[in-house]
Amino acid sequence: MTARTQASSYNFAYLDEQTKRMIRRAILKAIAIPGYQVPFASREMPMPYGWGTGGVQVTAAILGPDDVLKVIDQGADDTTNAVSIRKFFERVADVETTTRTVDATIIQTRHRIPETPLREGQVLVYQVPIPEPLRFLEPRETETRKMHALEEYGLMHVKLYEDIARNGHIATTYAYPVKVEGRYVMDPSPTPKFDNPKMHMSEALQLFGAGREKRIYALPPHTEVVSLDFEDHPFEVQRFDKPCALCGGGQVYLDEVVLDDRGGRMFVCSDTDHCESRRAEGLRGELLGEVAQ
Amino acid sequence: MIAAAAKIENLDRSSEALPLLSVRSLTRTYGTRIGCADVSFDIWPGEVLAIVGESGSGKTTLLNCISTRLEPTSGTISYRMRDGEMRDLYQLGEAERRHLLRTDWGFVHQNPADGLRMTVSAGANVGERLMAVGQRHYGRLRATATDWLGRVEIDAGRIDDQPRAFSGGMRQRLQIARNLVTAPRLVFMDEPTGGLDVSVQARLLDLLRGLVNDLGLAVIIVTHDLAVARLLSHRMLVMKDGRVVEHGLTDRLLDDPQAPYTQLLVSSILQV
């Protein structure tokens, strides 16, 4: 039996059409109110909460037979989560999949934005564990919804103030809060703050799905996304001392990889597709014998 | 004596204008039970009003109604906004009401843990209201916090400590600083000295008296402690079973109580 016939008892892209309609309605509302968390009737998916049930439902609702799907987990195409979600959609929707950012029409991501700038027509789907940026400051959901409604965001700065008071600088490095179109404060999901500037005025549509928390929110293309900060402690992204050890790329987000038990380590691109494309062009980092750029 | 005369003169002058807060036939019932009934009074800028009475007499219900934390069953409460206009508090939108609560008003709870964020530092506790109204400069926020900690006699070195590490008296003083940082015009206090030992109470009262005078605050203070009322307030309301039984200047009321219940209350003060 082929994978196709095995999966024939499933509707296209796993979810039934009514559910997809419900999710699309939530997505449309989310696009109409950038940064606002729209509640939706999240379904049980064949994976545990925390593995991207929200992102998978959003992807399933917008996926068409002609789409080309890419799935990344912390920037990589070859990690468990990315591989299994890609296989899942190959099986239940029979869509083409790719690891190349430029070829994809839909990119589902866990905690990274690809280094290659996204273009018009592409959709980036984020897996979100906790959509509420105020959650750890104000545990009552009734109260946080009211705070969003009345635009009471002083508390968000209390957190940043605490960061500076304790560490001398804003020590939040991921899930760094942003303000969308001067209105809603939004959690960009636990992406490194390095990726925050990429959200600003992006040409691609960005959708966020939180399965356990039953929320969808969105950033339509060309949306203003500003990272919160203080006048005397402005927002800054992480900087790396060295370029990627494999492709020699700079201005990218790097992962630290331990090489041996004697303190040897290298820094490589977290975005595997970006790294591979550069190497295919003949560029080399220090570990592969540097080639002049 | 001269100071008192000056104060009365001050009150006279501002009384030509509208009161700061005006309460008319305020009633709050819990089903058939009465929380408070038919309470009316005015408060002028810079005036301290004490609401006294035994436990269960409706003091806290009244305070919560006035401070928009509890909706009254009937009656009106109007407040003179910063633009000089009298507005009915329960006709305001929620956004406006909450804005009022964290800028023009303060609320000092009996238990400081209710009014403070126990898991963020003292500096952030003081700065929160300023950040809420748009202050976005860390250095200035910190300078203001340091200044206010000094004014409430908390060592500036404790600015990065959490209130969890503070004693009861310090927490209460921090709560006061947190409320006063936006220069409110009206502050509500619910038994601010409750649960503190007498020497700490005395220092806190001293501090409060100083701040109220310096900043020209109007204060509505709920207390069962007549000594606190005598020290702080200009006028008093005595409540019993949800109703006001007597109302007048503090000194007159305590030295020459008219209502039988007030006489009982005054004569019940322990003489040491």
Side-chain angles (χ1 to χ4, degrees):
Chain A
M1 248 196 317
T2 64
R4 184 84 197 268
T5 51
Q6 239 179 358
S8 61
S9 52
Y10 288 113
N11 188 34
F12 176 78
Y14 187 76
L15 292 173
D16 63 275
E17 292 305 313
Q18 280 302 321
T19 300
K20 286 191 205 168
R21 263 177 110 170
M22 173 272 294
I23 295 173
R24 284 175 201 146
R25 271 192 216 115
I27 293 172
L28 286 175
K29 182 168 179 182
I31 293 171
I33 319 171
Y36 171 71
Q37 300 166 44
V38 183
F40 80 110
S42 176
R43 298 289 194 255
E44 288 287 332
M45 295 304 282
M47 50 167 57
Y49 285 135
W51 284 70
T53 52
V56 163
Q57 288 180 76
V58 170
T59 303
I62 60 171
L63 198 64
D66 302 330
D67 275 314
V68 181
L69 180 69
K70 169 182 162 84
V71 184
I72 51 174
D73 173 5
Q74 307 273 15
D77 292 278
D78 52 4
T79 51
T80 319
N81 197 215
V83 171
S84 50
I85 291 174
R86 202 159 56 225
K87 289 257 188 269
F88 174 74
F89 281 112
E90 279 172 8
R91 201 160 173 183
V92 299
D94 199 25
V95 289
E96 195 186 328
T97 56
T98 183
T99 58
R100 286 173 52 80
T101 305
V102 286
D103 295 340
T105 55
I106 297 176
I107 303 169
Q108 182 172 331
T109 173
R110 174 171 174 268
H111 314 346
R112 267 319 301 284
I113 300 175
E115 304 290 357
T116 315
L118 300 178
R119 57 177 157 71
E120 197 182 316
Q122 286 184 311
V123 183
L124 188 60
V125 178
Y126 296 77
Q127 301 170 196
V128 182
I130 295 166
E132 179 52 73
L134 302 162
R135 170 72 51 90
F136 294 108
L137 305 159
E138 173 54 65
R140 289 168 296 175
E141 184 79 17
T142 47
E143 182 67 15
T144 54
R145 303 204 85 193
K146 200 166 271 179
M147 290 161 80
H148 282 294
L150 302 175
E151 228 181 320
E152 287 180 5
Y153 291 129
L155 207 50
M156 212 67 247
H157 275 86
V158 171
K159 179 184 185 291
L160 300 179
Y161 174 98
E162 282 292 279
D163 257 8
I164 303 174
R166 281 188 204 159
N167 307 296
H169 60 99
I170 298 179
T172 305
T173 52
Y174 65 96
Y176 192 102
V178 294
K179 195 162 205 179
V180 179
E181 283 292 321
R183 178 61 181 84
Y184 284 98
V185 165
M186 187 190 94
D187 184 337
S189 86
T191 51
K193 67 177 172 184
F194 183 87
D195 285 340
N196 275 17
K198 293 184 197 155
M199 299 182 140
H200 178 60
M201 293 293 165
S202 170
E203 291 198 9
L205 169 64
Q206 303 174 72
L207 302 174
F208 299 77
R212 180 184 48 207
E213 303 287 329
K214 302 178 173 54
R215 294 286 185 276
I216 286 173
Y217 51 105
L219 296 172
H222 308 287
T223 300
E224 184 191 68
V225 180
V226 179
S227 304
L228 300 181
D229 59 4
F230 283 104
E231 287 159 21
D232 46 347
H233 285 265
F235 172 78
E236 277 176 352
V237 297
Q238 293 99 327
R239 303 212 178 283
F240 299 93
D241 304 333
K242 285 178 166 183
C244 169
L246 297 180
C247 75
Q251 313 289 315
V252 292
Y253 194 73
L254 301 178
D255 283 340
E256 182 179 5
V257 179
V258 174
L259 297 173
D260 50 39
D261 58 3
R262 289 184 301 278
R265 61 197 61 219
M266 65 170 179
F267 287 89
V268 294
C269 291
S270 130
D271 184 340
T272 52
D273 170 60
H274 180 77
C275 199
E276 278 159 20
S277 340
R278 281 178 57 89
R279 274 180 278 155
E281 287 166 25
L283 299 165
R284 294 284 181 272
E286 61 175 352
L287 268 185
L288 300 176
E290 223 155 336
V291 171
Q293 295 186 22
Chain B
M1 221 43 226
I2 296 165
K7 203 176 283 170
I8 289 166
E9 203 175 296
N10 257 330
L11 290 175
D12 275 349
R13 227 181 296 127
S14 52
S15 68
E16 289 164 16
L18 292 164
L20 188 61
L21 182 91
S22 175
V23 178
R24 289 289 169 271
S25 15
L26 185 80
T27 301
R28 165 77 203 196
T29 55
Y30 300 99
T32 53
R33 241 167 243 122
I34 291 172
C36 62
D38 199 25
V39 179
S40 302
F41 66 88
D42 290 330
I43 181 165
W44 273 267
E47 189 184 29
V48 180
L49 175 74
I51 302 171
V52 300
E54 61 192 16
S55 148
S57 60
K59 306 185 298 269
T60 302
T61 298
L62 177 61
L63 190 74
N64 285 342
C65 282
I66 304 168
S67 57
T68 72
R69 298 152 58 85
L70 182 72
E71 196 156 352
T73 315
S74 64
T76 59
I77 306 159
S78 28
Y79 179 72
R80 184 150 54 82
M81 310 294 277
R82 289 211 177 188
D83 60 9
E85 198 190 336
M86 285 302 272
R87 301 276 300 273
D88 186 336
L89 287 179
Y90 285 91
Q91 301 296 319
L92 294 178
E94 188 169 14
E96 243 179 325
R97 213 150 68 201
R98 285 171 67 120
H99 187 257
L100 197 64
L101 256 174
R102 52 167 204 268
T103 54
D104 221 15
W105 289 3
F107 198 107
V108 177
H109 295 261
Q110 176 173 8
N111 179 2
D114 295 339
L116 290 172
R117 283 189 196 281
M118 299 304 277
T119 52
V120 305
S121 68
N125 262 297
V126 177
E128 183 178 341
R129 278 172 158 235
L130 294 173
M131 291 185 244
V133 295
Q135 171 84 253
R136 294 286 178 267
H137 192 284
Y138 177 81
R140 282 202 288 275
L141 280 166
R142 208 163 162 83
T144 314
T146 312
D147 175 44
W148 268 101
L149 290 183
R151 287 167 85 164
V152 297
E153 298 164 16
I154 295 174
D155 180 35
R158 305 293 303 267
I159 188 168
D160 291 331
D161 291 350
Q162 295 184 357
R164 282 193 298 205
F166 285 8
S167 69
M170 279 170 82
R171 287 181 190 184
Q172 198 57 285
R173 278 178 276 146
L174 180 63
Q175 197 194 174
I176 289 165
R178 173 182 158 90
N179 273 290
L180 298 187
V181 69
T182 49
R185 292 189 300 159
L186 177 61
V187 178
F188 302 98
M189 297 187 186
D190 189 2
E191 306 272 10
T193 56
L196 301 176
D197 60 62
V198 279
S199 60
V200 175
Q201 244 186 57
R203 268 178 69 200
L204 187 72
L205 285 173
D206 215 34
L207 176 78
L208 273 178
R209 211 144 69 137
L211 287 173
V212 165
N213 270 332
D214 293 349
L215 305 171
L217 292 175
V219 179
I220 299 180
I221 180 169
V222 156
T223 180
H224 62 263
D225 189 338
L226 290 179
V228 169
R230 169 157 247 165
L231 264 173
L232 282 180
S233 70
H234 305 123
R235 274 195 303 143
M236 273 171 80
L237 273 174
V238 183
M239 292 189 71
K240 168 94 172 97
D241 298 331
R243 290 172 194 281
V244 176
V245 293
E246 193 165 358
H247 178 196
L249 292 175
T250 301
D251 290 345
R252 197 282 294 158
L253 201 139
L254 289 177
D255 293 339
D256 179 22
Q258 305 285 314
Y261 175 71
T262 317
Q263 292 170 352
L264 178 74
L265 204 64
V266 171
S267 64
S268 309
I269 299 173
L270 281 179
Q271 305 292 333
V272 185

